[in-house]
Amino acid sequence: MTTALIVLAAGRGSRMKSDRPKVLHELGGVPLFAHALAAGRALGAERTLLVVGHGGDMVGRAARDLDPEVIVVEQAEQRGTAHAVRQARKALTGFEGDAVVLYGDTPFVRPQTLQAMREARARHDVVVLGFEPADPGRYGRLVMAGERLERIVEYRDATEAERAITLCNSGIVMADAELLFSLAAAVGNDNASGEYYLTDIVELAGRRGLSAGVVRCEEAETLGINTRAELAAAEAAFQARARAQALENGVTLLAPETVFFALDTVLGRDVVVEPNVVFGPGVTVETGARIRAFSHLEGCHVGAGAIVGPYARLRPGAELSNDVRIGNFVEIKNAQIGDGAKVNHLSYIGDAEIGAGTNIGAGTVTCNYDGVMKHRTVIGRRAFIGSDTMLVAPVTVGDEAMTASGSVITQDVPDGSLALGRARQVNKPGFARRLFERLKAARARRGREQQDREQ
Ligand code: UD1
Ligand code: MG
């Protein structure tokens, strides 16, 4: 079944008390709306539309950064959920298949639930996702007639008897795309809010002799984010789930409650994660690697058997091959580190390529930035970079080459060569002892002068 995803994200989200649109606030290291996109991707949606309004430019840009295939459509004025869906019609001209409507601020819908809705489409023309919350509050109510959904009534428009219904509307709907647009176009705004309610399509479908049905899910899945407190609670729920999933997948977490994941974190089997590790977006760690305590990783790939940290920082573009060692207070950015290479202490490696088996001594820095442009450092295989080497890029160090400790390397080093780039050492016999004596005498003199002044 071909499916298009329509994610509604035009609302202001005023209760966030933010200058940023609500759906750009982050959950699991990615903007809120990205969670709805991911659920749709898991369903295999062929086309994804994002309806934006408040801060539309910003949201649109973020969406295209995340996934260039997302079609962003604008709803200039927010006149209700049916009005929002109508904006997607043009972009889906000629599309044949189902459309599913999700909300950008509702991140926890499971792909399995969407799959169940798809299956229910065999029995109904319109399928609505319903749930029974602990407190039905102001949710729209689902008015059932046996197994059929008769209509949805918004809380503001509901009678007392309707408000007593406990089955509520999540807002998620699935129907044939052409039908959805045709029904949404027929919706009026004669209601308590003067808005075009998408919920009205159920009754309209009934009048056309079509059937609507309900798939139920847990309340936790339909949780929408409206305030910072709800965002914080959602983050906690997201992390709890991600940790449980990692353990389930065969990852060891020594202190699960101190490890933080992003939506797209991928950890292989037998990966060990020590306490206090943060995974930003875009991290993959292969089988058997160990991420030691207090490390921060984002946009990077860690090969099998590698050891990272403690206190390491892997930034976007860090590519560690198998069995690499990255030690304490080391930062790696946009750099490929070959099999078994070691960068163990106090180093910055950025815009670089390091060959297999090479050892980078403590305190080494790739000086990649000249204040205007970035330059690359290339180091060959089985090379030895002495401690405190400054590699002034662009520069190349060959295979099995060495640099002397404390060198400032500004010229390429051929294969097998030793590069010395530092001042020659001079020893002055007896100098130190004489200097110490002179300094101690000076200190004693100053002490006596001080005493004289105080008397
Ligand atoms: C909606 C449902 C209600 C349901 C509830 C579940 C309608 C009429 N009501 O109510 O039955 O119980 O969700 O949370 O659909 N949006 C737009 N453009 C608009 C209006 C809304 O993009 O013009 C987006 C919002 O950004 C939000 C979503 O649609 O992501 C839902 O809108 P919201 O105003 O929260 O609807 P509710 O009143 O909560
Ligand atoms: Mg709402």
Side-chain angles (χ1 to χ4, degrees), residues 73 99 108 111 158 187 191 207-208 275 280 294-295 307 310 320 338 348 382-383 393 397 400 415 433 441 447 453:
V73 295
F108 291 135
V187 167
N191 53 50
R207 279 197 226 141
R208 293 189 193 177
F294 296 100
S295 294
I307 299 178
L320 317 190
Y348 171 66
R382 295 177 301 282
V397 177
E400 286 157 14
D415 290 350
R433 202 164 285 134
R453 269 198 302 278

Side-chain angles (χ1 to χ4, degrees), residues 58-109:
M58 264 194 276
V59 179
R61 224 174 302 129
R64 279 183 286 258
D65 280 353
L66 216 65
D67 179 353
E69 308 233 303
V70 172
I71 304 162
V72 178
V73 295
E74 202 181 317
Q75 183 192 26
E77 245 184 293
Q78 283 71 61
R79 299 168 67 190
T81 43
H83 182 257
V85 166
R86 283 184 207 164
Q87 314 308 311
R89 181 169 212 163
K90 228 170 93 197
L92 283 179
T93 307
F95 176 83
E96 281 179 28
D98 269 11
V100 53
V101 178
L102 301 181
Y103 292 169
D105 62 359
T106 304
F108 291 135
V109 187

Side-chain angles (χ1 to χ4, degrees), residues 7-13 15 22-23 51-53 75 77-85 101-106 131 136 138-142 152-155 168-172 191 193 195-200 222-224 226:
V7 178
L8 307 190
R12 180 202 298 275
R15 283 191 283 157
K22 173 163 77 176
V23 291
V51 181
V52 301
Q75 183 192 26
E77 245 184 293
Q78 283 71 61
R79 299 168 67 190
T81 43
H83 182 257
V85 166
V101 178
L102 301 181
Y103 292 169
D105 62 359
T106 304
F131 66 112
R138 302 181 65 81
Y139 286 114
R141 303 298 207 264
L142 302 186
I152 306 178
V153 57
E154 285 305 286
Y155 181 82
C168 292
N169 176 32
S170 70
I172 294 170
N191 53 50
S193 332
E195 286 189 358
Y196 296 90
Y197 292 162
L198 186 61
T199 46
D200 284 353
T222 70
L223 183 80
N226 297 298

